[in-house]
Amino acid sequence: MSALPRDDQAECAVLEAVMNTPGALETVRPFLAVDAFDNPDRRKLYDAAVALMDSGAEADASAIVARLRDRGEPWENLRLTLRGITDGAHSAYWEQNARRLSELHQVREIARTGQALWAKATSNVGDPATFVADAKVQLVGVLDHRQANDDAGSLRDSMREQLENMQAAARVGHGGLLGPTTGIDKLDRLLCGLRGTKLIVVAARPGHGKTALGAGIVISACDVEDRSVGAFIASAEMGRGELVLRMAASEALVDARRALQGALVSEDWAR
């Protein structure tokens, strides 16, 4: 059976940058797992660097080696591994190499999961429905691993983002909006405008105006004079035509139900 894919040159390039390029470890740490290094000796080096960074210490080459020596790692092993990294071709594209290592790690995890499922399916599959359900859970877990890594960030990154938000709010001033308007003043004051990464759930009984409210917010946010803002609408209940009708009714301030029933009067048509 062929070996699972790995990239020794990429591993060396990333470690060389981690040990010698300021900011490299902080850049790759959020998405590059320790297990992404298939070579066990290089994996130990990266693990030591991550441990140092998480403890707030400098993670340069000497500190990494010292930490591994403290763990009882033989110097000869370290020397040979470091020589291999030093002798490898230096690459300015260490971040791209780090992302490649992350992708290869996912490939290996998918392959190993598939091998385990194959072994079970060809030996004692048991209840087919249970096997399929378990297989889905395992595969989804592996496929979601990259998204989890991409979403994971350090506390420092989160704090920096929040500070930038507070600075933006200070520049706008009291009562200013940090995102597109909802079109409703009281709602804007509560939300400070529509901001990215924020999920807003509108709940009410049927027929109480949820769709009309959403349509009004979309129209207000997507100002025709500002082409930088767009919206995507998905509905499990209404077709495109009915949604457009409701948005038009909301903008014209007419009753959408009367429009659907063909009961609009001349004053409504004028709007």
Side-chain angles (χ1 to χ4, degrees):
M1 181 180 294
S2 301
L4 294 177
R6 56 186 280 179
D7 191 330
D8 292 320
Q9 186 174 351
E11 290 188 9
C12 290
V14 172
L15 281 176
E16 196 276 337
V18 164
M19 293 188 293
N20 298 301
T21 302
L25 181 57
E26 289 80 357
T27 299
V28 303
R29 174 68 178 94
F31 64 85
L32 186 62
V34 172
D35 288 340
F37 288 83
D38 193 57
N39 178 278
D41 293 320
R42 292 193 285 264
R43 188 186 310 137
K44 291 176 184 177
L45 286 171
Y46 183 67
D47 181 52
V50 168
L52 285 167
M53 189 189 78
D54 290 346
S55 68
E58 289 293 329
D60 55 21
S62 59
I64 293 171
V65 170
R67 189 173 188 90
L68 288 174
R69 293 293 298 275
D70 290 341
R71 292 179 179 178
E73 189 67 25
W75 167 242
E76 185 62 21
N77 289 356
L78 288 173
R79 187 179 66 81
L80 292 174
T81 303
L82 290 170
R83 176 183 291 178
I85 293 171
T86 304
D87 293 343
H90 173 73
S91 173
Y93 302 104
W94 47 265
E95 184 175 353
Q96 291 91 327
N97 281 316
R99 294 194 179 278
R100 173 171 169 76
L101 292 181
S102 181
E103 298 287 356
L104 287 175
H105 176 226
Q106 188 178 29
V107 170
R108 292 194 296 270
E109 289 299 299
I110 293 173
R112 291 182 181 119
T113 302
Q115 289 169 351
L117 292 173
W118 172 267
K120 185 174 182 180
T122 54
S123 58
N124 183 18
V125 70
D127 177 56
T130 302
F131 174 82
V132 171
D134 291 343
K136 288 180 179 179
V137 170
Q138 293 179 51
L139 289 171
V140 168
V142 173
L143 294 172
D144 283 348
H145 178 72
R146 178 176 178 240
Q147 183 62 47
N149 282 338
D150 286 344
D151 291 342
S154 67
L155 180 60
R156 182 184 303 172
D157 293 335
S158 299
M159 181 58 71
R160 185 183 298 114
E161 180 181 351
Q162 293 308 312
L163 286 173
E164 290 173 354
N165 288 339
M166 288 188 287
Q167 290 169 351
R171 288 193 296 271
V172 170
H174 180 68
L177 302 183
L178 299 178
T181 177
T182 64
I184 304 171
D185 290 340
K186 289 185 178 180
L187 191 56
D188 281 338
R189 287 197 291 272
L190 285 172
L191 301 176
C192 298
L194 300 173
R195 291 175 288 164
T197 73
K198 201 169 185 65
L199 174 66
I200 302 171
V201 178
V202 179
R205 293 175 61 82
H208 280 61
K210 298 186 299 297
T211 302
L213 174 61
I217 291 174
V218 167
I219 292 171
S220 297
C222 300
D223 190 330
V224 294
E225 296 180 359
D226 183 3
R227 298 296 182 182
S228 66
V229 178
F232 174 75
I233 302 175
S235 175
E237 299 176 347
M238 299 181 189
R240 180 173 57 184
E242 187 175 356
L243 280 171
V244 171
L245 176 61
R246 284 175 177 265
M247 291 177 69
S250 175
E251 183 73 358
L253 301 178
V254 300
D255 190 333
R257 280 175 291 190
R258 288 198 295 112
L260 286 171
Q261 295 166 357
L264 295 180
V265 297
S266 57
E267 181 180 346
D268 296 328
W269 286 109
R271 295 179 179 176

